[in-house]
Amino acid sequence: MDFEQIASESTNSSASQFWKAVAIWMRNPHVVNRRILAAQELLAINVNCNVLDIFAHIKKLRIQSNDFECDLSLKDIKHLLNTLNIMEYYQPHESINPIEASDEDKASYLYVRKLLPRTTQMFSSALEFVFVDKRSASITCFYKPIVQDKQPLGPSMAYSVQHHEYNSTCISIHKSDNKDCSKSHVWLKSKFFPRLIKWMGSESKSSGPKINSLNLVSVERYTLLYNRLKERYGTEMVKMWPENTDPAKFVYEDVAIATYLLLLWEKERLEKDMRKLQSFVDLGCGNGLLVYILSSEGHRGMGIDLRKRKIWDLFPENTCLQVSTIVPSSDTVFPETDWIIGNHSDELTPWIPVIAARSSHECRFFLLPCCAYEFDGRKYRRDNAAESQYSEYMSYIRNVCEDCGFYTLVDRLRIPSTKRTCFVGWKRTYAKEDTATRDADIRRIINARSATTLPKETVETETKEDLWSTSFKPRSTTEQTRNCTQLDRGLVLDIVNTVTAHLLRTGRRISLERRPGETWNAGGQISIGDVAKLVAPEMLRQLRNECGGLQTLLKNHNHIFCVVQGKVQFRIPGSSAAGKRKRKRGNGCAPRKVKLCWFHENHPDGCPVPEIDCDFLH
């Protein structure tokens, strides 16, 4: 097998750092390969043969499966394994991962995984064979597509990564005459390899256990159902989205959450031999899309939020949505409901397990925390400065769930959000006869975490109308405008001018295509953190109060600045792909421009493009 090196990087890293990076990639292939939705580990074996033998057998392996069922694939894999000298098998998740084992381990391993595509219409699922050689500190990977007439998920050639301790790491590809290899070559060199090198040098910030995503449901069934729901609800909903929020994020996020819940409830019905579909109540349902999907899939339920959204009028009549301010009390229980849903429910987050516990002994909950709130509606304040607020808050909410008497499962969703760890109150840890004792414990928790506690006599004589916390402050039914429109104009100009001056001072000059021989100061880059250091503290406080912060203000001035991965730079006029598309669709007519070009008016070199190519008025 003839390999050709395509990239090498000097790395002052140990073998254990290399294997740490490989383990991150094995757990999260979707991070670096956006075609992948998830990976399902089929098996891992300790082998007593070299990579040449494995490669030769894999090339001959024929996969006849034309769907996502893995039975036929496993038959072929087992046939392959029978031709190798196998020392021992182990099942995934039942032993220590040899990639993360000690440096003394010098064995060779073969991993077989099934890669599942983000979209099944374009891409084929694939089997991935990863040969791990601990002795030579190298990995070699091969892909075998399952459906031949679709695009592959991974590189079309075999590739290898080898680490030389405290010296360098290099990546090589198997020489091939395949015309499709050029794209794979570019991806391996410019995307995969740099990310692996980055992981080798990064320090883990979390000492807690790592939570893999989609642990509680079948990854393969999730892929199938997600693609079906996306086609059924997502595409049309994005087209008709009437809200001001980004439909590409919010629609597909709710489709993903609905997929997860449907599979979780299917799992529950199988375990408990239930035939009736579960009912639900979504507290703080927002746009109501999750309620719409779950109801359309046959589950009886309703959503409650403190204000109506425009999109509610577009849902069919069987989507039950109610406008109501939820104040936790003896009236906010749902004894006939199977599941309470708290999806980014903000100030109701700590109340979700309480409401589920007090609704009935059979009631369960799904909770996806986002913003951190206490029982009384105050913002949560962390106690440990060494831990992030989100991490500490998640530990706090899990303790609340367990104190409410739930056997609590933790999982990570596949959604376009940084806050994707969820809690599932799967069953009770106490008998139904002990409900009164448990309820007394819950009252003590609420009182301990509230600024104002209920008087003792009120607790002893609680009636249906009594509140569970006299200090709880629900959110206002009128949404506060936080888009920088209320800011003092002078303050905004000061910040814009400060950032502009820094970018010009650290900028690079670029040649102008339309004006040969002339150059233009395209500006440098500055991080959001460094911008904050240039702005007076009282200005920053005003920004946070009015529009959410400095980054929001800069993004609202996207005709001047471009904010990418925490870095601010100029948005060069004429480079807007959206503007070019508008001009193309204009049937030859010049677009009507109303807003003045900031660069033409304020940049020392003026606007770098003629007015006809600029999105703004000169």
Side-chain angles (χ1 to χ4, degrees):
M1 188 164 54
D2 192 9
F3 277 89
E4 172 190 9
Q5 182 175 307
I6 60 171
S8 180
E9 184 83 20
S10 296
T11 50
N12 187 26
S13 305
S14 64
S16 60
Q17 287 174 291
F18 170 71
W19 292 120
K20 182 201 75 171
V22 171
I24 294 173
W25 166 64
M26 292 284 284
R27 285 194 303 267
N28 307 285
H30 59 282
V31 173
V32 67
N33 185 346
R34 301 302 296 168
R35 294 180 175 182
I36 297 173
L37 178 71
Q40 179 184 18
E41 186 176 317
L42 300 180
L43 52 86
I45 55 172
N46 179 232
V47 293
N48 188 22
C49 58
N50 62 37
V51 69
L52 294 175
D53 296 332
I54 293 175
F55 182 73
H57 285 99
I58 290 174
K59 284 190 73 174
K60 297 176 184 176
L61 188 145
R62 293 184 179 181
I63 302 173
Q64 300 172 348
S65 176
N66 290 318
D67 53 24
F68 279 81
E69 297 301 325
C70 64
D71 293 342
L72 289 174
S73 306
L74 281 173
K75 279 184 184 178
D76 288 324
I77 294 168
K78 289 177 181 177
H79 176 72
L80 164 70
L81 299 178
N82 288 333
T83 65
L84 302 172
N85 182 13
I86 299 164
M87 295 175 64
E88 67 173 295
Y89 285 84
Y90 77 86
Q91 293 300 317
H93 312 303
E94 290 186 4
S95 66
I96 296 174
N97 190 330
I99 286 180
E100 298 175 320
S102 66
D103 293 340
E104 286 73 28
D105 181 10
K106 301 299 179 186
S108 299
Y109 300 90
L110 177 65
Y111 288 79
V112 185
R113 302 193 297 172
K114 193 167 191 179
L115 303 180
L116 305 169
R118 197 171 290 274
T119 171
T120 56
Q121 292 180 329
M122 294 176 58
F123 300 104
S124 163
S125 57
L127 291 180
E128 181 189 41
F129 298 84
V130 182
F131 179 76
V132 174
D133 189 348
K134 298 285 285 188
R135 183 179 296 277
S136 65
S138 67
I139 59 169
T140 305
C141 305
F142 320 97
Y143 288 85
K144 291 288 287 189
I146 291 178
V147 182
Q148 301 300 324
D149 59 351
K150 292 185 179 181
Q151 296 184 48
L153 276 184
S156 53
M157 84 288 279
Y159 64 94
S160 175
V161 182
Q162 184 163 20
H163 175 69
H164 305 281
E165 191 161 18
Y166 296 112
N167 188 351
S168 64
T169 305
C170 61
I171 183 169
S172 306
I173 60 172
H174 178 239
K175 291 182 179 179
S176 172
D177 297 329
N178 190 337
K179 293 181 180 179
D180 296 330
C181 287
S182 58
K183 289 184 178 179
S184 300
H185 183 149
V186 171
W187 178 80
L188 287 168
K189 186 176 180 179
S190 63
K191 300 292 184 182
F192 171 73
F193 188 58
R195 182 61 66 95
L196 200 67
I197 297 298
K198 181 181 178 181
W199 284 333
M200 286 172 62
S202 64
E203 294 293 332
S204 176
K205 294 181 180 179
S206 175
S207 58
K210 296 180 178 66
I211 304 171
N212 292 326
S213 57
L214 306 180
N215 277 326
L216 303 181
V217 298
S218 163
V219 174
E220 195 152 14
R221 289 186 57 78
Y222 178 90
T223 306
L224 281 172
L225 183 57
Y226 174 76
N227 277 280
R228 180 176 72 79
L229 296 182
K230 186 169 68 171
E231 291 173 17
R232 184 175 178 183
Y233 304 103
T235 308
E236 286 301 314
M237 194 57 66
V238 167
K239 290 179 183 176
M240 61 193 291
W241 192 251
E243 305 293 335
N244 294 326
T245 52
D246 179 12
K249 176 186 186 297
F250 286 90
V251 170
Y252 293 118
E253 180 171 311
D254 281 349
V255 168
I257 295 171
T259 303
Y260 185 84
L261 284 171
L262 290 171
L263 290 176
L264 190 70
W265 294 346
E266 180 185 80
K267 177 181 176 181
E268 182 187 41
R269 291 197 301 274
L270 288 172
E271 284 189 8
K272 298 182 178 180
D273 195 23
M274 296 168 55
R275 294 189 179 181
K276 186 179 178 182
L277 296 182
Q278 293 91 332
S279 59
F280 68 92
V281 172
D282 186 353
L283 299 179
C285 64
N287 59 51
L289 181 56
L290 181 61
V291 178
Y292 163 61
I293 297 174
L294 295 176
S295 300
S296 299
E297 292 297 308
H299 289 269
R300 179 176 53 85
M302 68 180 298
I304 304 174
D305 204 279
L306 49 80
R307 58 189 177 84
K308 183 180 179 180
R309 309 300 199 275
K310 298 174 190 174
I311 197 172
W312 287 16
D313 293 329
L314 303 180
F315 294 138
E317 290 184 0
N318 69 328
T319 305
C320 184
L321 297 168
Q322 177 182 319
V323 177
S324 178
T325 299
I326 301 168
V327 179
S329 70
S330 298
D331 285 331
T332 54
V333 291
F334 307 91
E336 304 301 321
T337 299
D338 297 317
W339 283 79
I340 304 295
I341 296 174
N343 172 21
H344 291 174
S345 46
D346 294 340
E347 66 275 4
L348 288 176
T349 295
W351 288 103
I352 297 297
V354 175
I355 292 171
R358 288 179 164 176
S359 290
S360 72
H361 191 264
E362 290 72 33
C363 188
R364 284 81 68 200
F365 70 84
F366 168 85
L367 178 58
L368 180 60
C370 181
C371 301
Y373 284 90
E374 279 282 10
F375 277 105
D376 54 12
R378 289 176 299 133
K379 286 290 186 75
Y380 177 85
R381 293 182 179 274
R382 62 177 173 171
D383 297 322
N384 182 6
E387 194 173 0
S388 72
Q389 175 158 329
Y390 176 70
S391 175
E392 185 179 295
Y393 185 66
M394 295 300 282
S395 299
Y396 165 56
I397 292 299
R398 181 168 187 174
N399 288 336
V400 170
C401 297
E402 292 173 347
D403 289 342
C404 286
F406 285 95
Y407 174 62
T408 307
L409 305 174
V410 185
D411 207 348
R412 282 171 68 85
L413 305 182
R414 288 290 177 84
I415 56 176
S417 172
T418 55
K419 311 290 178 62
R420 53 183 181 269
T421 300
C422 68
F423 299 113
V424 177
W426 191 243
K427 59 183 179 181
R428 300 303 173 90
T429 57
Y430 62 93
K432 190 173 183 178
E433 296 76 32
D434 299 328
T435 298
T437 303
R438 178 64 60 171
D439 192 59
D441 293 337
I442 293 173
R443 293 178 192 220
R444 282 192 289 271
I445 296 167
I446 296 170
N447 290 340
R449 302 295 303 196
S450 297
T452 305
T453 60
L454 289 170
K456 184 177 179 183
E457 59 272 14
T458 304
V459 171
E460 291 174 351
T461 61
E462 186 180 86
T463 66
K464 263 289 202 183
E465 292 72 34
D466 285 332
L467 301 176
W468 291 344
S469 172
T470 55
S471 55
F472 176 77
K473 295 182 179 127
R475 183 178 298 188
S476 170
T477 56
T478 305
E479 188 174 24
Q480 182 183 358
T481 303
R482 291 169 61 85
N483 59 4
C484 302
T485 58
Q486 310 302 315
L487 282 174
D488 177 70
R489 183 63 185 160
L491 185 151
V492 174
L493 285 175
D494 284 345
I495 294 173
V496 170
N497 291 336
T498 299
V499 176
T500 299
H502 180 90
L503 296 181
L504 290 172
R505 190 168 57 252
T506 60
R508 70 197 190 285
R509 302 198 72 84
I510 61 173
S511 299
L512 297 180
E513 183 181 345
R514 296 295 186 92
R515 304 206 295 262
E518 293 187 38
T519 60
W520 187 78
N521 189 344
Q525 279 190 339
I526 183 173
S527 69
I528 294 289
D530 288 337
V531 174
K533 294 176 184 176
L534 300 175
V535 179
E538 60 271 15
M539 286 187 180
L540 289 177
R541 280 194 293 272
Q542 190 174 347
L543 279 176
R544 280 193 291 269
N545 291 335
E546 294 292 339
C547 71
L550 189 58
Q551 183 165 270
T552 303
L553 183 142
L554 294 171
K555 284 185 174 180
N556 284 350
H557 287 75
N558 61 0
H559 59 294
I560 308 173
F561 305 113
C562 176
V563 183
V564 180
Q565 295 182 342
K567 299 282 187 181
V568 185
Q569 60 190 42
F570 283 138
R571 186 181 296 279
I572 300 175
S575 63
S576 167
K580 290 176 183 176
R581 285 196 298 271
K582 285 178 187 174
R583 287 192 290 275
K584 268 188 179 178
R585 291 196 296 264
N587 297 322
C589 301
R592 182 172 179 268
K593 302 175 184 181
V594 177
K595 196 168 188 176
L596 290 173
C597 175
W598 184 91
F599 290 93
H600 180 73
E601 299 287 327
N602 299 281
H603 194 285
D605 299 337
C607 182
V609 296
E611 183 178 6
I612 192 172
D613 293 328
C614 185
D615 298 332
F616 302 98
L617 185 66
H618 282 198

